[in-house]
């Protein structure tokens, strides 16, 4: 038997839509990162972009467990001396771009490098229910039904 190596031409990329309402951020991010890399497919090849295109809607309605809203801190550096800035998860969720919590969680679960950046480009996150990808006919993926621990009611 010969070893099968997939390439970009043989990759079967689908469009998947996930409704993030009530889902826990970390569990959502792990399953999305798995889909983006293509590890759910039997033809997974680590050096090829085999993953699906993932659309996440209702990203502003995700749930952080415990006291992470107050205690989880996101840092970034301005590039200037002493330019470290910090924001809590609550300030990001109440700000203009609450979907960045989900984007950061998924980004940090993907490998660093050119392939990881390309796979992250296959992720689209929207804070509300509208998205401009109806033409791609995405199939719905219900993560809340996969495991009872994936979602939390308010």
């Amino acid at each position: 038997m010969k070893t099968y190596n997939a390439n970009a031409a043989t990759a079967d990329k689908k469009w998947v839509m996930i409704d993030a309402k009530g889902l826990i951020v970390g569990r959502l991010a792990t399953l999305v990162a798995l889909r983006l890399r293509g590890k759910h497919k039997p033809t997974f090849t680590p050096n090829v972009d085999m993953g699906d295109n993932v659309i996440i809607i209702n990203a502003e309605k995700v749930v952080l467990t415990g006291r992470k809203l107050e205690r989880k801190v996101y840092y970034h550096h301005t590039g200037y001396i002493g330019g470290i800035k910090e924001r809590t998860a609550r300030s990001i969720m109440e700000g203009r771009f609450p979907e960045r919590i989900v984007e950061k969680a998924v980004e940090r679960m993907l490998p660093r490098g050119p392939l990881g950046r390309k796979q992250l480009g296959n992720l689209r996150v929207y804070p509300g229910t509208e998205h401009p990808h109806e033409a791609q006919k995405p199939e719905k993926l219900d993560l809340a039904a996969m495991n009872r621990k994936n979602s939390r009611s308010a």
Side-chain angles (χ1 to χ4, degrees):
M1 176 137 181
K2 293 203 171 212
T3 303
Y4 175 76
N5 280 325
N7 56 29
T10 61
D12 180 33
K13 297 173 75 71
K14 292 191 280 185
W15 284 79
V16 178
M17 185 174 71
I18 299 171
D19 187 0
K21 184 177 181 182
L23 294 180
I24 295 172
V25 173
R27 288 177 168 269
L28 169 67
T30 55
L31 293 168
V32 169
L34 185 99
R35 286 263 170 187
L36 287 173
R37 289 213 60 205
K39 287 188 132 186
H40 64 290
K41 298 180 181 180
T43 58
F44 171 68
T45 308
N47 62 331
V48 179
D49 182 16
M50 299 283 301
D52 295 337
N53 292 288
V54 180
I55 304 164
I56 300 176
I57 59 172
N58 287 325
E60 64 187 3
K61 295 177 181 160
V62 293
V63 177
L64 288 160
T65 58
R67 296 178 65 187
K68 291 190 190 92
L69 268 177
E70 291 82 24
R71 292 188 175 176
K72 185 162 181 61
V73 179
Y74 290 88
Y75 296 97
H76 77 277
H77 200 282
T78 63
Y80 289 96
I81 298 169
I84 191 95
K85 303 285 183 181
E86 61 182 45
R87 291 180 72 190
T88 62
R90 179 179 296 282
S91 68
I92 294 173
M93 291 295 281
E94 293 171 353
R96 286 180 57 201
F97 305 106
E99 67 272 14
R100 289 188 182 165
I101 296 268
V102 176
E103 289 173 1
K104 267 297 179 203
V106 174
E107 177 188 338
R108 291 172 177 174
M109 291 183 185
L110 289 174
R112 276 71 175 165
L115 182 61
R117 287 189 294 272
K118 186 174 181 188
Q119 289 168 341
L120 189 65
N122 294 330
L123 174 69
R124 280 96 173 162
V125 185
Y126 299 99
T129 55
E130 289 84 31
H131 65 87
H133 305 288
E134 288 299 327
Q136 282 75 28
K137 297 182 181 70
E139 65 179 54
K140 283 196 162 222
L141 186 65
D142 189 13
L143 296 185
M146 286 183 174
N147 189 340
R148 65 179 180 82
K149 293 180 180 179
N150 288 350
S151 64
R152 174 121 352 141
S153 59

